[in-house]
Amino acid sequence: MALIRINAEGRTPVLHGTDAPLLPVLSRALETTGPITVMLHGYKFQPNSADYCPHAHIFAPIDADCAKAVSWPGRLGFLSHSENSGVGIAFGWQARGSLKKALRSAVRASFALATLIRIIRREAPQRRVNLVAHSMGAYLTLQTLHRLSTGDIGRIIVLNGAVFRPCVATALRTDAGKSAELFNIVSSENTFYDILFERLLGRPGSHDRSIGRGFDAPNALTIRLDDKATLSHLSTLGHDIAPPSRWICHWSPYLREGAMSFYGDLLRNPSDLSLHALQAQLAPRDYLASLRLSVRPPSCSTA
């Protein structure tokens, strides 16, 4: 097992909480087997902050005492002692301030993330890097693809991504994007945030739409966690994911019981959960055309 905590300091990746050099720590971790996965948080986090540090929240080794947090490293299996647990890299970046300020910060952090990935590829050229990102972390992820090469990235798992479809399409046309696989995890619980994102940051007079509405590409798949047929099929594959329990919840894709275990399987067993097979089995739909949940929560509650 291996968990490394790294932050973007300007355009440079540095270890969290220490002045020690990054490379020796990273090299030791890469001696393990299993997937190499970078985890990226979204809006309102700030590394080294007393109240907003992601390493004490979703990147903590155990579940934090917060209704919006579970341990990503733990739930994704990077703290397991199994031989194939892999390397989990918790990547922090400055995501506070206005939405536009945070987006500019994400662009700067994408240079640090690209540098980190290039180091990993140099040290372990036979291994690709996976990315798991929530909300605005998806924008950082897609910006990073522009700075990488063919084969650098394996699988990208986006959880309620705060990013527009054209941005995704452009990123997947890059050399790194063409060779990657994108899993777009969405739910109608995020409809409010998708529409708000479009209203606040969409270009005037444009028809910009969030990937929360779905996204289609040969190397991409939208998986709807509010869809009864989707949950039923995933259950047949051995992944029982809890149905929605709230009407509005931006954090649902990682709070739902069973969801993170499924993502861990996507990372570790790509041959068993191939993109093409899942594309054939899980038909995409532009579900924001209707605001009804196909799996209805038992009662209305706040996120």
Side-chain angles (χ1 to χ4, degrees), residues 9 121 138 190:
E9 192 168 282
R121 293 284 289 159
N190 199 57

Side-chain angles (χ1 to χ4, degrees), residues 190-210:
N190 199 57
T191 296
F192 169 79
Y193 294 96
D194 287 323
I195 294 174
L196 185 64
F197 177 71
E198 293 171 356
R199 297 286 178 86
L200 292 176
L201 294 175
R203 294 168 297 177
S206 74
H207 296 283
D208 287 341
R209 294 293 180 264
S210 164

Side-chain angles (χ1 to χ4, degrees), residues 106-280:
V107 173
R108 289 193 298 273
S110 71
F111 286 90
L113 179 57
T115 296
L116 171 63
I117 292 170
R118 286 194 295 268
I119 293 171
I120 294 171
R121 293 284 289 159
R122 186 187 68 217
E123 295 294 307
Q126 76 285 5
R127 300 170 74 181
R128 294 203 288 180
V129 179
N130 303 307
L131 303 167
V132 180
H134 176 243
S135 188
M136 201 176 287
Y139 180 71
L140 191 165
T141 293
L142 294 164
Q143 288 295 309
T144 304
L145 294 182
H146 293 269
R147 319 189 197 293
L148 297 172
S149 304
T150 300
D152 282 344
I153 301 299
R155 290 189 154 181
I156 302 169
I157 301 175
V158 170
L159 313 176
N160 281 344
V163 64
F164 291 113
R165 285 170 168 174
C167 177
V168 185
T170 300
L172 291 186
R173 287 195 292 267
T174 65
D175 290 341
K178 290 176 184 176
S179 59
E181 295 179 341
L182 174 69
F183 293 86
N184 179 34
I185 311 297
V186 300
S187 174
S188 291
E189 296 156 288
N190 199 57
T191 296
F192 169 79
Y193 294 96
D194 287 323
I195 294 174
L196 185 64
F197 177 71
E198 293 171 356
R199 297 286 178 86
L200 292 176
L201 294 175
R203 294 168 297 177
S206 74
H207 296 283
D208 287 341
R209 294 293 180 264
S210 164
I211 59 168
R213 294 179 180 268
F215 181 82
D216 185 33
N219 60 335
L221 172 65
T222 294
I223 299 179
R224 292 183 50 199
L225 294 189
D226 65 317
D227 182 67
K228 186 179 295 184
T230 295
L231 294 182
S232 177
H233 181 73
L234 292 178
S235 181
T236 67
L237 297 177
H239 294 284
D240 293 320
I241 298 176
S245 61
R246 297 175 172 90
W247 288 101
I248 299 174
C249 186
H250 187 47
W251 309 273
S252 171
Y254 62 81
L255 291 180
R256 295 267 206 97
E257 196 65 40
M260 295 294 271
S261 174
F262 169 56
Y263 311 146
D265 209 15
L266 282 175
L267 299 171
R268 290 181 181 82
N269 301 298
S271 58
D272 294 338
L273 290 169
S274 77
L275 175 66
H276 296 306
L278 290 172
Q279 284 175 325

